[in-house]
Amino acid sequence: MFENRPDRDAEVVLLGRSNVGKSTLMREITGHQFNTGGKPGVTRSPNHYDWASEDFVVTDLPGFGFMSGVPGEQREQIKTNIVRYLEEHAPNVLAGVVVLDGKAAIDIIDRHTNEEEIPHTVELYHLLRELDIPAVLAVNKMDKVDDADERLDDVADRFGLLPPWKQWQDTIAPITAKQGQIEPLEQAVRAHLEAAKRDDLKKFF
């Protein structure tokens, strides 16, 4: 399932729990329609979108976490595949975008935090950092959040970034993908492409 990556040097990946809006965001970035569904776990294998004339691909990796009708073993396998994919392609990944549901993310993180367990999204974010992949937290569905600054400060805090969140605008990007409001994410990704000396790719964001 994870073997169909196009032979491209540069890559931006989207990651996150099921049903946070990754496929909708992918559609906004690429202008290309992907299968999105109200049911978690629609994307089970990576969606790659590459531009024929450019040595570049955007990849929407499968969602993880609870999926209705998907056995726990299979959910774990998806997570393992995501980690392996990142480890294998890390030198080529210019940005890893962890997509969060702005309304639910803090509750989910806090619910899964105990002595033995780090929440999956926090773990993934730190994995990106360990692999030297520039990480961006795309906090989606912000149209459903009343206290935006407070919520984004909480996000910063849970991911080990000292609030206020506004000092992390290359890392924390509040968006509403469904309404096409993704400019903060585009700016953050462009900053990382610039840092990688890939100004040629900034036109895609």
Side-chain angles (χ1 to χ4, degrees):
M1 283 205 313
F2 276 55
E3 305 306 315
N4 62 342
R5 183 184 185 275
D7 184 18
R8 299 289 186 174
D9 266 354
E11 182 171 13
V12 168
V13 297
L14 308 185
L15 316 127
R17 294 180 68 86
S18 300
N19 232 22
V20 294
K22 291 193 312 304
S23 298
T24 304
L25 178 57
M26 182 79 160
R27 188 179 65 220
E28 282 301 319
I29 291 170
T30 64
H32 183 75
Q33 185 70 40
F34 292 89
N35 185 12
T36 65
K39 203 173 73 177
V42 170
T43 308
R44 299 279 173 85
S45 56
N47 274 323
H48 302 284
Y49 191 65
D50 60 330
W51 286 262
S53 61
E54 305 286 341
D55 196 9
F56 176 56
V57 61
V58 176
T59 300
D60 173 19
L61 288 171
F64 52 82
F66 176 75
M67 289 171 239
S68 177
V70 180
E73 197 177 303
Q74 197 178 332
R75 294 202 298 262
E76 281 305 307
Q77 189 57 53
I78 288 172
K79 214 172 70 183
T80 302
N81 288 346
I82 291 168
V83 170
R84 284 195 188 134
Y85 185 94
L86 291 171
E87 288 173 342
E88 188 179 339
H89 300 293
N92 303 100
V93 181
L94 303 178
V97 179
V98 180
V99 187
L100 306 171
D101 179 332
K103 195 163 172 58
I106 297 301
D107 287 344
I108 291 169
I109 288 170
D110 289 352
R111 199 164 63 232
H112 288 87
T113 302
N114 60 41
E115 292 290 315
E116 296 82 45
E117 191 181 8
I118 299 169
H120 297 331
T121 42
V122 176
E123 207 173 17
L124 260 186
Y125 170 77
H126 288 299
L127 174 67
L128 291 172
R129 302 287 300 271
E130 280 168 32
L131 295 172
D132 285 330
I133 297 172
V136 180
L137 299 170
V139 190
N140 194 20
K141 308 185 185 181
M142 286 302 291
D143 57 319
K144 296 187 167 78
V145 174
D146 299 327
D147 48 351
D149 281 334
E150 194 179 318
R151 183 63 50 88
L152 293 165
D153 282 348
D154 284 345
V155 168
D157 174 69
R158 299 309 189 274
F159 284 85
L161 303 165
L162 192 66
W165 75 273
K166 284 189 173 167
Q167 63 186 334
W168 302 102
Q169 289 190 40
D170 287 353
T171 306
I172 298 177
I175 62 169
T176 301
K178 205 172 237 181
Q179 296 176 7
Q181 296 169 4
I182 63 167
E183 179 61 25
L185 173 64
E186 292 173 324
Q187 285 179 352
V189 172
R190 284 199 296 265
H192 293 303
L193 294 176
E194 216 168 88
K197 300 191 168 33
R198 291 304 304 263
D199 286 19
D200 57 314
L201 301 177
K202 279 162 59 178
K203 63 187 176 209
F204 296 120
F205 291 92

